[in-house]
Amino acid sequence: MLRFVVSILLCFSTIAPFLSSIAIAELITCSGIVPMRYRSDKISITDFGGVGDGRTLNTNAFREAIYRIQHLSRRGGTLLYIPPGVYLTESFNLTSHMTLYLARDAVIKATQDTGNWPLVAPLPSYGRGRERPGGRYMSFLHGDGLRDVVITGENGTIDGQGDVWWDMWRQRTLQFTRPSLIELVNSKNIVISNVLFRNSPFWNIHPVYCSNVVVRYVTILAPADSPNTDGIDPDSSSHVCIEDSYISTGDDLVAVKSGWDEYGIAYGRRSFGITIRRITGSSPFSGIAIGSETSGGVENVLAEHIHLYKVGVGIHVKTNIGRGGLIRNISVSDVYLENARKGIKIAGDVGDHPDNGFNPNAFPVVKDIAIKNVWGVNVLQAGLIQGLRSSPFTGICLSNINLAGVTPKGSRSPPPWKCSDVSGASHQVSPWPCSELTSTLSIDTCSTHF
Ligand SMILES: *[C@@H]1O[C@H](CO)[C@@H](O)[C@H](O)[C@H]1NC(C)=O
Ligand SMILES: *[C@@H]1O[C@H](CO)[C@@H](O)[C@H](O)[C@H]1NC(C)=O
């Protein structure tokens, strides 16, 4: 027992060194990852002609307000206040040292003018748009190379009005990859809190090549049948902390990524130091996901206190042949699942390829994944762990997991776990997982985690 406790502490210090200084606080939070800012310089969108009547196009007001922040910079940065009202606008770029502050009942609403939507270059780690070759529609709120940006307020709304984009996807008329609601590229010291994100055309919050990003107290909503509306996708980013949020969308709630096949391998930028805690939500796909684009590698992820209901897969590590990338030191604990198709899935055959140029010998490496304290009711299948014959998954350690299955009509028991090309251990897991996992959690098999 003592050894167990000691190694939990060790695990904390290896997984999230940036947390160790605040680990003594009663409730562990993301505080401290991004320095706090007070902005004494404040402007309002109405100073720049903004009209919140839901009809007037406010693109110039946003661009001019942000131009003013960028070019007449004030010590400590500037807060841009959005008063109550509905501000229709085209996409716009944020700038450094700014706070975008949405009052209660303020809505920043995207136009549905898809024909005039600006394009940006593909991300080098993807080599092309995620859905279509070539460039991508710029995210609704966009930032590249920024420092010190806060998006916050009194739970105002950023509304992507994504239904026109979802229809284009359904009708296969998209020319380029749909825009995310917010994408920040190459940026640092970002806080997104107390905002409601609604109906993103594509992924909701996408920090890529970023560090020190905090997302907390957000609500993210999109219909369950809206395509690819992932909640938060930290991508080739480090020191990202996501907590105390409600996410209910049409795709993965949180998915940690790092680039796609040969492009991601060449770019070689991993995601690491990712903390995800106290997330509640629902999705037809995954609750907490690693992947499937993980070619730069994903290391040191801690997910805890996750509550999922009506979910496809509770915890999902997904990669593929051709993807390369090292996925390791993933620790997931204290998960409650209600009505899930699958509790836990770790698989090496998920997701498509950008083109035929992927290297069929680029095998992903998946090791040291610890999942503990998982409780589920109405879980159709408890688990599936399928490694690759040429690259078996190792150090997969499960403990204290109870996934009460549903017995299908005509069967005597719920479907068993399925395992192949995997090694590791399991302890107090019900239903019993599989003989590939030994029944004792020894330091040799589960070194970092137990
Ligand atoms: C916004 O940023 C993108 C990508 O950095 C850039 O291509 C575009 O020109 C910028 N748009 C404006 C209006 O500044
Ligand atoms: C905003 O929403 C968050 C998350 O639901 C909640 O914790 C917070 O109290 C709300 N804040 C305000 C000002 O209503």
Side-chain angles (χ1 to χ4, degrees), residues 256-291:
V256 183
K257 301 178 184 286
S258 63
W260 204 10
D261 288 7
E262 68 270 29
Y263 305 103
I265 294 170
Y267 197 70
R269 180 126 175 214
R270 63 186 181 143
S271 276
F272 67 97
I274 314 287
T275 306
I276 303 157
R277 66 162 81 85
R278 296 187 297 272
I279 301 298
T280 301
S282 167
S283 160
F285 290 95
S286 312
I288 303 299
I290 311 290

Side-chain angles (χ1 to χ4, degrees), residues 261-262 265 319-325 358-365 388:
D261 288 7
E262 68 270 29
I265 294 170
T319 178
N320 206 336
I321 284 173
R323 197 134 298 175
F358 70 92
N359 173 1
N361 295 316
F363 297 108
V365 174
L388 294 163

Side-chain angles (χ1 to χ4, degrees), residues 153-187:
E154 302 155 10
N155 292 340
T157 300
I158 297 178
D159 182 350
Q161 293 213 87
D163 50 324
V164 286
W165 296 99
W166 308 332
D167 284 344
M168 286 164 78
W169 181 84
R170 291 177 184 124
Q171 290 155 12
R172 298 170 186 272
T173 52
L174 276 170
Q175 239 186 311
F176 299 100
T177 299
R178 284 170 285 161
S180 293
L181 203 49
I182 297 195
E183 181 174 86
L184 295 165
V185 188
N186 274 314
S187 298

Side-chain angles (χ1 to χ4, degrees), residues 146-161:
L146 305 188
R147 296 290 176 274
D148 176 25
V149 174
V150 180
I151 301 172
T152 189
E154 302 155 10
N155 292 340
T157 300
I158 297 178
D159 182 350
Q161 293 213 87

Side-chain angles (χ1 to χ4, degrees), residues 104 153-155 194 217-219 244:
R104 180 177 300 282
E154 302 155 10
N155 292 340
N194 298 89
Y217 309 125
V218 301
T219 302
D244 295 305

Side-chain angles (χ1 to χ4, degrees), residues 63 91-93 119-120 138 142-144:
R63 290 190 182 160
S91 61
F92 60 89
N93 287 327
L119 292 171
V120 291
M138 180 174 124
H142 190 82
D144 196 339

